[in-house]
Amino acid sequence: MTRSQRSNRLITAVRTTDLTQRGKSVAILRSKSAATRAKPYSSPKSKREHRLESTSDPRPKHRVAVSSGLLCFGNLRILSRDFFQIDALDLAPLLLGKYLRRDDVVLQITEVEAYRPNDSACHGRFGVTARTAPVFGPGGNAYVYLCYGLHMMLNIVADKEGIGAAVLIRSCAPVSGLKTIQQRRGQMTDKPVLLSGPGKVGQALGLSTEWSNHPLYEPGGLELLDGPKPEKVLVGPRVGIEYALPEHVSALWRFAIAGSPWISAPKNTLGPPNDNRNC
């Protein structure tokens, strides 16, 4: 064999070896690729979920119910009939902070006045008539009367049936249903003028005298819901009862939440309570 022939055979052998090694490398790469495809893919999300499962808070999660952009009042209880079966003078301050609800409108009571038996400013002084009969009903009923032919005044009957006592709702603060309140009042404002006065409260709730005798302690229609007790309360003489006896005119039977802007005029007659309630 000549030198040239030996050289050609060597080159051919080297090429064959190189192709063989390349084939093995390709086979190895294909094998690794197939193995990679065979493994299940674990996304970052599934890993995160796994971490959350292992470190999750064991406490139960609670959802906050929201209705029309405001907190839902479904978890607040309607006050029972027994709540109202007390003297009007005792019931009046207890009503502060409670909620009146009709449909989408919810109001928080901020100012009230007590009217008691043998009170020369109370409608019960006339005895039972077609107009005053509701005030002699059981405590917890509504008593709505028309004042000056214009204003619907909401009262909550107090004490036992036949007593003839009630609490006038003088002012409230809006909690829910502001648009409905504004439409009923004909005022597009969110200032205290919207609800600072008993006639304004009746109008905001869309009441008429037909609501008299309606039980506020039963679901549906107009309801009275439990609410927070105010930290401080102001007291003063009642408004617009100059016709009553002097001792009843000066009696401190008007109550309001201290610091609330949702209080009717006059405000300068209100002050801190004392032990003498002019009983």
Side-chain angles (χ1 to χ4, degrees), residues 151-232:
H151 309 297
M152 292 294 170
M153 315 285 269
L154 173 61
N155 299 258
I156 298 177
V157 179
D159 222 318
K160 306 294 188 295
E161 186 171 3
I163 295 296
V167 177
L168 172 67
I169 308 301
R170 281 202 61 85
S171 296
C172 290
V175 177
S176 177
L178 181 60
K179 289 185 178 180
T180 302
I181 296 169
Q182 291 171 334
Q183 289 171 357
R184 287 174 176 168
R185 289 278 296 112
Q187 283 190 313
M188 304 307 291
T189 180
D190 58 359
K191 299 293 194 306
V193 67
L194 188 66
L195 289 168
S196 56
K200 298 175 182 179
V201 172
Q203 190 176 23
L205 290 169
L207 300 181
S208 67
T209 56
E210 294 180 356
W211 284 91
S212 284
N213 296 312
H214 174 81
L216 300 173
Y217 46 83
E218 292 184 0
L222 184 62
E223 305 164 342
L224 188 69
L225 308 177
D226 198 7
K229 181 180 178 181
E231 293 183 4
K232 295 182 180 180

Side-chain angles (χ1 to χ4, degrees), residues 99-110:
Y99 298 103
L100 286 164
R101 176 171 65 184
R102 185 194 171 196
D103 301 326
D104 65 321
V105 172
V106 178
L107 308 180
Q108 186 173 43
I109 300 172
T110 56

Side-chain angles (χ1 to χ4, degrees), residues 41 63 110 137 149 173 225 260:
Y41 176 71
R63 291 183 179 272
T110 56
L225 308 177
S260 173

Side-chain angles (χ1 to χ4, degrees), residues 206-274:
L207 300 181
S208 67
T209 56
E210 294 180 356
W211 284 91
S212 284
N213 296 312
H214 174 81
L216 300 173
Y217 46 83
E218 292 184 0
L222 184 62
E223 305 164 342
L224 188 69
L225 308 177
D226 198 7
K229 181 180 178 181
E231 293 183 4
K232 295 182 180 180
V233 173
L234 302 176
V235 300
R238 294 171 293 180
V239 180
I241 58 167
E242 291 77 13
Y243 55 83
L245 295 174
E247 60 267 30
H248 294 147
V249 171
S250 61
L252 304 181
W253 294 353
R254 179 186 176 201
F255 303 87
I257 297 178
S260 173
W262 301 87
I263 298 175
S264 65
K267 297 181 180 181
N268 59 358
T269 60
L270 292 167
N274 52 45

Side-chain angles (χ1 to χ4, degrees), residues 37-154:
R37 289 195 301 271
K39 290 182 179 180
Y41 176 71
S42 179
S43 67
K45 180 181 178 180
S46 62
K47 289 180 180 180
R48 179 177 178 272
E49 290 174 346
H50 177 71
R51 288 196 302 271
L52 288 174
E53 289 176 1
S54 60
T55 60
S56 61
D57 190 342
R59 294 174 295 181
K61 305 295 186 297
H62 299 284
R63 291 183 179 272
V64 177
V66 177
S67 175
S68 302
L70 292 169
L71 291 181
C72 179
F73 285 80
N75 60 336
L76 293 179
R77 66 182 180 90
I78 298 176
L79 293 169
S80 69
R81 182 174 177 175
D82 291 340
F83 175 81
F84 306 94
Q85 305 294 309
I86 57 176
D87 190 300
L89 194 56
D90 295 318
L91 178 62
L94 294 179
L95 291 173
L96 296 176
K98 303 297 187 286
Y99 298 103
L100 286 164
R101 176 171 65 184
R102 185 194 171 196
D103 301 326
D104 65 321
V105 172
V106 178
L107 308 180
Q108 186 173 43
I109 300 172
T110 56
E111 182 187 359
V112 296
E113 288 178 349
Y115 291 85
R116 309 173 75 195
N118 302 317
D119 175 5
S120 59
C122 180
H123 286 185
R125 71 187 185 276
F126 299 115
V128 179
T129 68
R131 183 194 189 205
T132 66
V135 81
F136 289 92
N141 281 7
Y143 170 44
V144 182
Y145 66 88
L146 184 62
C147 181
Y148 301 129
L150 296 172
H151 309 297
M152 292 294 170
M153 315 285 269
L154 173 61

